[in-house]
Amino acid sequence: MSAVQAQRIKIAIQKSGRLTDNSLDLITRCGLRYSRGKDQLICFGENLPLDILLVRDDDIPSLVQDDVCDLGIVGQNLIEEKRLAFAASGRGTPFEQVMTLDFGLCRLAIAVLEEATYAGPESLRGRRIATSYPFVLGRWLAERGIAAEVVAQSGAVEIAPRLGRADLICDLVSTGSTLAANGLREVERVLESRAALIRTPVPVASEKADWMERLLVRMDGVQRVNGSKYIMLHAPRSALPQITKLLPGNEHPTILPLDGTDERVALHAVCRENVFWETLESLKAAGASAILVLPVEKMLA
Ligand code: ATP
Ligand code: ZN
């Protein structure tokens, strides 16, 4: 590796799948402009010392673990599975989860054939469960003292019961429509998951530590404002306690005097959640007027 390359931060994200668009969007909102390499495997950062590696999501934890990439964005389902596998292998320090992200929401769930009966975890005793998450499922079963056979399978888990390879499955679910399409019914939630940022267990070289730190602060800033709104309104001073209570996810509003009146003031506040029409109607009913709601683009805490 050349000295110039060594100073650049590498982040691994999913090449094509459920996490791709949101991962690229997050990186773009951190200020990166990039061009896509011919092989479509690397996006070279043009204005920051940051390059993006596009890979299968399953490969991301190991790339970060082995310090090939400094950072990675991947689902907690894979993070947990790989961490447990890593711990079982008894090797050194594992990669680290830096922050959770607000996309890729899903859960690892146990499902049975629609017509099968299910009466709690005890019903799993001695059954065969197909999954791509043998470590996470194994831990869940062990915590409940249930001996079941875990059938590890890398893909197409949902058809295992129909093929007679297993009695149940443990797989990722978000809406449940894939389960329904395969005649399956969710019975237990094993793990709640969302995308998260992970980092190498190796201390980052001093040449790039500064940019790494700045990038993490920017990602945190993007996460903080997601869904946040800036709200401005005029209100009678006497109605302020009631109006402040109506603001969703608000911390401390700023109150400003209005020219020519003592009774009415202006209120500005950041709301950490979306502001719905119903809230605006309640604010108006409480005496607010000239209500403006603006999106928040960036925030530096
Ligand atoms: P790859 O080719 O990169 O291996 P994949 O098929 O394993 O792709 P996707 O289906 O794109 O991966 O899912 C990527 C991640 O998205 C999952 O690991 C999980 O964290 C998250 N996810 C969110 N909702 C779902 C869902 N309904 N099913 C599967 N994964 C989901
Ligand atoms: Zn995958």
Side-chain angles (χ1 to χ4, degrees):
M1 203 188 295
S2 75
V4 176
Q5 257 182 330
Q7 289 164 14
R8 298 183 67 80
I9 298 165
K10 283 197 273 319
I11 181 166
I13 67 165
Q14 191 185 22
K15 180 173 180 163
S16 141
R18 290 184 154 97
L19 304 177
T20 308
D21 290 350
N22 285 310
S23 302
L24 282 173
D25 180 58
L26 170 61
I27 297 169
T28 307
R29 288 176 66 188
C30 289
L32 184 76
R33 284 196 310 272
Y34 58 82
S35 59
R36 220 158 162 162
K38 263 208 217 85
D39 59 0
Q40 303 270 303
L41 205 75
I42 299 181
C43 294
F44 295 101
E46 288 173 350
N47 58 335
L48 307 177
L50 170 67
D51 300 322
I52 308 169
L53 214 70
L54 298 154
V55 293
R56 284 200 58 192
D57 67 342
D58 313 64
D59 297 332
I60 295 173
S62 334
L63 285 168
V64 175
Q65 179 65 48
D66 299 341
D67 198 36
V68 176
C69 291
D70 308 278
L71 297 169
I73 297 176
V74 67
Q76 288 177 307
N77 47 305
L78 276 174
I79 294 180
E80 274 305 297
E81 182 66 17
K82 304 280 176 172
R83 281 179 78 96
L84 291 172
F86 189 75
S89 75
R91 289 185 288 153
T93 326
F95 61 84
E96 203 183 302
Q97 179 175 308
V98 187
M99 66 178 91
T100 56
L101 304 170
D102 58 6
F103 56 87
L105 269 63
C106 59
R107 57 191 181 275
L108 192 61
I110 296 179
V112 295
L113 284 171
E114 245 148 28
E115 60 274 17
T117 53
Y118 183 81
E122 281 300 322
S123 332
L124 301 172
R125 221 173 272 284
R127 312 298 296 278
R128 294 167 303 158
I129 314 173
T131 188
S132 310
Y133 298 87
F135 281 96
V136 175
L137 174 60
R139 178 180 63 181
W140 188 88
L141 290 167
E143 281 167 1
R144 284 154 187 80
I146 292 166
E149 186 189 338
V150 176
V151 182
Q153 200 169 309
S154 62
V157 165
E158 64 283 355
I159 57 170
R162 297 274 171 214
L163 296 177
R165 265 181 62 78
D167 308 304
L168 306 96
I169 67 159
C170 175
D171 203 6
L172 293 177
V173 185
S174 48
T175 60
S177 54
T178 313
L179 285 185
N182 285 287
L184 295 160
R185 174 166 65 90
E186 180 175 344
V187 291
E188 295 286 351
R189 291 186 173 195
V190 171
L191 182 81
E192 299 287 338
S193 176
R194 49 174 59 221
L197 181 74
I198 54 173
R199 67 174 289 165
T200 162
V202 179
V204 172
S206 58
E207 308 92 81
K208 58 183 179 187
D210 178 42
W211 260 110
M212 182 89 156
E213 190 49 39
R214 286 170 76 176
L215 190 64
L216 296 184
V217 170
R218 289 184 185 190
M219 283 194 179
D220 183 55
V222 171
Q223 286 297 302
R224 274 168 195 273
V225 300
N226 262 354
S228 293
K229 298 285 179 236
Y230 194 78
I231 185 162
M232 303 195 276
L233 55 81
H234 291 178
R237 205 178 270 283
S238 59
L240 283 178
Q242 195 193 347
I243 284 182
T244 308
K245 261 195 236 134
L246 288 169
L247 297 171
N250 169 62
E251 279 155 24
H252 298 287
T254 307
I255 310 296
L256 304 161
L258 284 175
D259 230 11
T261 165
D262 275 340
E263 285 99 69
R264 290 184 77 77
V265 290
L267 176 151
H268 292 194
V270 173
C271 296
R272 294 292 171 91
E273 296 161 35
N274 207 347
V275 182
F276 295 105
W277 281 109
E278 288 73 10
T279 309
L280 299 191
E281 286 155 8
S282 308
L283 287 168
K284 193 165 158 51
S289 61
I291 310 172
L292 275 181
V293 180
L294 309 171
V296 178
E297 194 182 281
K298 296 185 176 76
M299 188 190 289
L300 204 57

